[in-house]
Amino acid sequence: MISSFSDRRKHLVCAAVGLLLLSGCSTPADTNFGTGTSAVPTATPSSAIDPSTPAAGSASPAVTPPAATSAPKPGDAGVESASHAGTPSPIGTKRATSALWFNDGFWWGNLWDTASSDFHIFRFDAGTGSWVDTGVATDPRASTHHDVLWDGSTLNVASYRFVNDGLPAEPGFPTTMRRYSYNWSTKTYKLLSSTRINDERVEALTIDKDSTGRMWATWQQGNRIYLNATGTDGRYWGKPFAHPASLSPEGLSNVSVDDTSAVIAFDGSKMGVMWSRQVGDATDGRYWSYHVDGASDTDWTTPVAAVLGQNSADDHINLKRLGSSDGRVFAAVKTSYTAATQPLIQLLALNGTTWSAHTIATVAECPNRMVVMIDESTRMLRTFATYPRPGDTTDAGVCTSTGGAIYEKSTPLDDIDFSTAPKTPRVVDADQYVHNVTSTKQNLNSAAQGTANSGLLILADVNATSRYWHYHDSSGGSGGGDTTAPPGTPTPAAARPM
């Protein structure tokens, strides 16, 4: 498949040109996971209730997670917190999905509970910087990834079994969406329903809700981009279908086994889908198509390329919109370029019908697995990604797919330019690699989205110690919180060993 070709190509480049060690060397070990389905049944389908559904009911007594195993060390940044021992990838990988949300003045997360060996809803205690288990289960399966959407009244958690990078989707593994109500008086969540999105184990799957109340999901299956949707109750899913562009002569939604997709509601009444295409020819790129709410499920616009050309795409993606009625969409994406000065992660911006591309970090900077957050109070785009670890830490400056440290780069959303943006370390474990940063689908500090005075919270993990790490900025503005950098800086690319 093309992903294998792409990986071999990148390894050859890395071996031939030492300076380009920072290129796709971070890609082969990456993995992504997701799943979905669409159509509106007139009756409850037999597959609506997943047999693994946790029992409905109010939360059990809160349980405080285990304390961190060690005190902060010189060179650390951020906070080491709860254990995720028992699940290999507690927050997914390629950042299409979100694990956190802000509601009722609190940050919440879908985290692994080591005591009961399943995923639970946790509340973040900003005062102590710790996670508190609410006792409400979201998935009993360890090897699952999740995409979480708080829509203002209902919590939606899509849970799917994943396949590793470069492997095809596999039938017989249901993707489940569980819906939870929220009691504003007791500040607890209660399971409402559990329905099946699809019956595939996939690399990545995301969800979002349109203006009519319908939930949408997308994923890659059989080398095509697939979609599914519920009825306006947001509950029962229909029959999954391939994006109709796969039927066109160009077949633009026919993709490689390594490609992924993501959905996002935007412009008041539209659902957009973006996907990567890596088939090894001039049609490679990042494609965008949208559906007008209320139209037929299979009525999608002809795809347009946000970026186009060989090596212009990879399967990492994170989508945000400026506002529910605004036509601007932002996509943090990864490329497959290998030259040191070429962009490895980019910010793609949609304004009206036009896409523009902005370099967040070059190949030489060795970035990986990124998210973009919109701070509405300061009109800033805040991006977070894995970069090589700073100086005075173990393996400082080493470019590896295993991880590194989480850094922030930010820019005004009305004047996008990352070229002079400082790169600030936000999560650093002085002894271990940090990876897989995630946060919320919501915009920060937005009264319209229920996040007024939210500040910012990002979550990452250290696989070697099975620990979550987080960075909390309570200031409510871009660049707030503790900006003190650990000693030293990453080794410049040109100075690294060949």
Side-chain angles (χ1 to χ4, degrees), residues 115-132:
S116 57
S117 296
D118 53 8
F119 286 93
H120 283 188
I121 296 173
F122 281 73
R123 177 176 55 81
F124 181 67
D125 186 331
T128 62
S130 62
W131 291 95
V132 178

Side-chain angles (χ1 to χ4, degrees), residues 233-271:
D233 62 359
R235 181 177 180 179
Y236 296 117
W237 296 84
K239 183 179 179 181
F241 61 95
H243 188 287
S246 64
L247 303 176
S248 67
E250 301 84 3
L252 291 177
S253 66
N254 295 332
V255 295
S256 78
V257 72
D258 190 44
D259 287 311
T260 60
S261 58
V263 289
I264 190 166
F266 76 108
D267 204 16
S269 60
K270 298 172 183 174
M271 182 63 64

Side-chain angles (χ1 to χ4, degrees), residues 193-214:
S193 64
S194 176
T195 54
R196 186 171 299 179
I197 299 175
N198 66 19
D199 192 39
E200 297 286 333
R201 181 177 175 181
V202 297
E203 188 180 356
L205 176 145
T206 66
I207 57 172
D208 209 348
K209 186 176 184 179
D210 73 17
S211 64
T212 70
R214 303 183 71 192

Side-chain angles (χ1 to χ4, degrees), residues 21 25 40 46 78 89 205 216 226 259 290 322 418 424 455:
L21 175 65
C25 301
V40 186
S46 59
S89 52
L205 176 145
W216 288 83
Y226 266 74
D259 287 311
Y290 67 85
L322 183 57
F418 292 95
T424 307

Side-chain angles (χ1 to χ4, degrees), residues 244-450:
S246 64
L247 303 176
S248 67
E250 301 84 3
L252 291 177
S253 66
N254 295 332
V255 295
S256 78
V257 72
D258 190 44
D259 287 311
T260 60
S261 58
V263 289
I264 190 166
F266 76 108
D267 204 16
S269 60
K270 298 172 183 174
M271 182 63 64
V273 59
M274 177 174 276
W275 64 91
S276 58
R277 177 175 166 85
Q278 305 171 82
V279 297
D281 62 28
T283 65
D284 285 0
R286 287 278 175 185
Y287 284 88
W288 169 258
S289 175
Y290 67 85
H291 170 274
V292 176
D293 297 350
S296 168
D297 283 7
T298 57
D299 186 3
W300 289 77
T301 60
T302 300
V304 297
V307 289
L308 184 65
Q310 281 190 271
N311 301 326
S312 65
D314 201 304
D315 56 347
H316 299 218
I317 182 172
N318 184 258
L319 292 177
K320 292 295 187 300
R321 66 170 187 264
L322 183 57
S324 59
S325 60
D326 193 286
R328 278 185 283 183
V329 174
F330 301 92
V333 300
K334 188 179 178 185
T335 74
S336 296
Y337 293 128
T338 56
T341 59
Q342 290 180 299
L344 193 57
I345 57 173
Q346 294 177 301
L347 192 286
L348 308 181
L350 174 66
N351 193 346
T353 58
T354 303
W355 285 95
S356 58
H358 310 266
T359 299
I360 299 174
T362 64
V363 170
E365 295 177 75
C366 190
N368 202 355
R369 300 186 183 180
M370 63 291 135
V371 298
V372 58
M373 306 296 297
I374 301 175
D375 189 327
E376 292 195 13
S377 65
T378 56
R379 297 188 69 79
M380 294 290 289
L381 295 170
R382 305 180 68 175
T383 71
F384 301 86
T386 302
Y387 294 85
R389 299 165 67 190
D392 295 340
T393 63
T394 304
D395 295 328
V398 174
C399 178
T400 172
S401 62
T402 306
I406 307 301
Y407 282 76
E408 174 180 358
K409 278 190 177 184
S410 296
T411 184
L413 68 84
D414 296 311
D415 185 21
I416 303 172
D417 183 3
F418 292 95
S419 63
T420 60
K423 189 168 68 175
T424 307
R426 296 304 190 191
V427 182
V428 182
D429 182 337
D431 298 326
Q432 304 293 343
Y433 288 123
V434 183
H435 218 6
N436 301 325
V437 63
T438 188
S439 190
T440 176
K441 291 180 181 292
Q442 301 156 290
N443 292 348
L444 306 173
N445 305 303
S446 167
Q449 295 195 25

Side-chain angles (χ1 to χ4, degrees), residues 73 75-80 425-430 469-471 484-486:
K73 301 174 290 292
D76 282 358
V79 177
E80 181 182 19
R426 296 304 190 191
V427 182
V428 182
D429 182 337
W469 282 67
H470 68 263
Y471 165 71
T484 303

